[in-house]
Amino acid sequence: MTTEPRTFPPRPLSAVKAVYARQAGCPSSFALAVADFEPWVEGVAFETADMSTVPSWSAAEVSELHEAFGSGVREELAELTTLEPGTTVAVAVVLRSIKVHEVDSHPRAFHRAGRQAVRNALVEAFGPPTTPWPKLY
């Protein structure tokens, strides 16, 4: 019996949405991002296709949010314990868009949204996990 090696993602996963919102007082956090997860070569490639501007945010500040999202994606993929043994991570993640709150958005929130995007992509690709992921508190 031969089985093909399993990879993540097994197919293109378009418009994976991730929201990180913590609105229980000050300080609050908000990040919303949409990304595509495409099969690629082994490892993790990240790029941003979102060239939009955010009113009252500098290009450097928006770039910092993009970088934080990518960092969260890489961190979550590096720590995965929910994939079956022998599963290869071979993914290109393309950040398509972000939404911010002018006060409550910051790089840490986008970092956590990146981690959540990976979890959402895993559910879309393979179904819910048999064991729950730890909370990110």
Side-chain angles (χ1 to χ4, degrees):
M1 177 171 133
T2 60
T3 58
E4 290 193 34
R6 187 169 158 172
T7 61
F8 173 75
R11 65 186 183 289
L13 305 171
S14 298
V16 176
K17 184 177 177 181
V19 177
Y20 180 78
R22 183 177 170 275
Q23 304 286 314
C26 292
S28 296
S29 299
F30 177 81
L32 186 150
V34 177
D36 296 340
F37 288 72
E38 300 283 340
W40 200 248
V41 297
E42 187 171 342
V44 180
F46 177 76
E47 67 180 69
T48 181
D50 181 13
M51 299 302 158
S52 61
T53 59
V54 177
S56 76
W57 289 62
S58 71
E61 289 171 315
V62 174
S63 179
E64 189 176 3
L65 299 179
H66 293 171
E67 290 172 23
F69 181 86
S71 175
V73 165
R74 286 185 199 94
E75 188 176 292
E76 186 69 19
L77 286 169
E79 295 176 6
L80 278 180
T81 59
T82 57
L83 290 178
E84 288 182 12
T87 300
T88 301
V89 174
V91 63
V93 180
V94 180
L95 179 60
R96 292 289 174 199
S97 66
I98 65 170
K99 299 285 185 204
V100 302
H101 182 276
E102 68 179 54
V103 174
D104 295 337
S105 291
H106 47 80
R108 188 176 72 249
F110 277 87
H111 180 267
R112 293 200 174 159
R115 292 184 69 120
Q116 186 62 49
V118 171
R119 292 175 182 187
N120 293 348
L122 286 167
V123 168
E124 190 173 324
F126 303 123
T130 55
T131 58
W133 286 297
K135 292 188 177 186
L136 294 174
Y137 295 100

